[in-house]
């Protein structure tokens, strides 16, 4: 796994940790990752996250995963825009996930937000990932 796609790496770490039923997972800290986690938290997909510093002095984000009756709350987490193929959508074209049951996370000029927030703010942007 190359680190050309730090966000994709974080999403994979979350998926892998959930498959193992872990309560937390760590990922190297970055602004973009924190912004995406802010949306996941606001939408109720994770318990939250905090910035921690490793013994080596690297900053990491420790993400609290969320389960319901032992099943991960996040059933599906997919990267949409990739380093090799960026996906942009105007405010009106932002895809709905599972008829609105899921959330697209969009990086807009007004910040990283959910598809609903982007439509409300009437801004489009890069569709980073979808979560269901």
């Amino acid at each position: 796994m190359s680190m050309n796609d730090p966000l994709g790496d974080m999403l994979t770490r979350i998926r892998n940790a959930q498959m193992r039923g872990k309560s937390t997972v760590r990922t190297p800290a970055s602004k973009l990752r924190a912004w995406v986690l802010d949306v996941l938290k606001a939408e109720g997909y994770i318990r939250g996250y905090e910035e921690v510093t490793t013994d080596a002095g690297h900053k990491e984000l420790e993400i609290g995963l969320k389960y319901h009756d032992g099943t991960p709350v996040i059933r599906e987490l997919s990267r949409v825009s990739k380093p090799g193929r960026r996906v942009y959508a105007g405010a009106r074209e932002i895809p709905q996930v599972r008829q609105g049951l899921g959330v697209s996370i969009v990086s807009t000029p007004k910040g990283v937000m959910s598809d609903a927030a982007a439509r409300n703010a009437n801004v489009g942007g890069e569709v980073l990932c979808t979560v269901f």
Side-chain angles (χ1 to χ4, degrees):
M1 176 115 187
S2 74
M3 281 306 292
N4 301 341
D5 186 13
L7 184 61
D9 172 73
M10 176 177 84
L11 301 182
T12 299
R13 286 175 192 228
I14 292 174
R15 282 192 296 264
N16 291 344
Q18 288 196 149
M19 279 193 283
R20 296 195 201 92
K22 292 193 180 307
S23 61
T24 61
V25 61
R26 285 185 174 193
T27 181
S30 79
K31 280 197 181 117
L32 178 62
R33 289 174 182 181
W35 291 333
V36 168
L37 291 172
D38 285 337
V39 177
L40 288 175
K41 181 174 179 356
E43 296 289 335
Y45 287 106
I46 59 172
R47 284 185 296 133
Y49 68 93
E50 58 180 7
E51 194 174 276
V52 293
T53 306
T54 64
D55 298 338
H58 297 293
K59 287 196 189 314
E60 291 191 332
L61 300 172
E62 187 167 83
I63 305 161
L65 301 175
K66 206 167 175 181
Y67 297 88
H68 183 265
D69 292 339
T71 313
V73 171
I74 297 176
R75 276 173 278 187
E76 209 175 87
L77 192 55
S78 340
R79 186 79 161 104
V80 177
S81 199
K82 300 184 172 76
R85 197 180 73 87
R86 300 282 179 198
V87 178
Y88 296 94
R92 287 182 187 75
E93 297 109 54
I94 297 170
Q96 269 208 331
V97 184
R98 302 274 170 118
Q99 286 84 46
L101 292 173
V103 176
S104 301
I105 298 181
V106 191
S107 176
T108 76
K110 294 184 178 174
V112 175
M113 55 183 79
S114 68
D115 52 323
R119 275 192 286 272
N120 289 342
N122 199 25
V123 289
E126 186 181 352
V127 184
L128 300 175
C129 56
T130 59
V131 55
F132 166 68

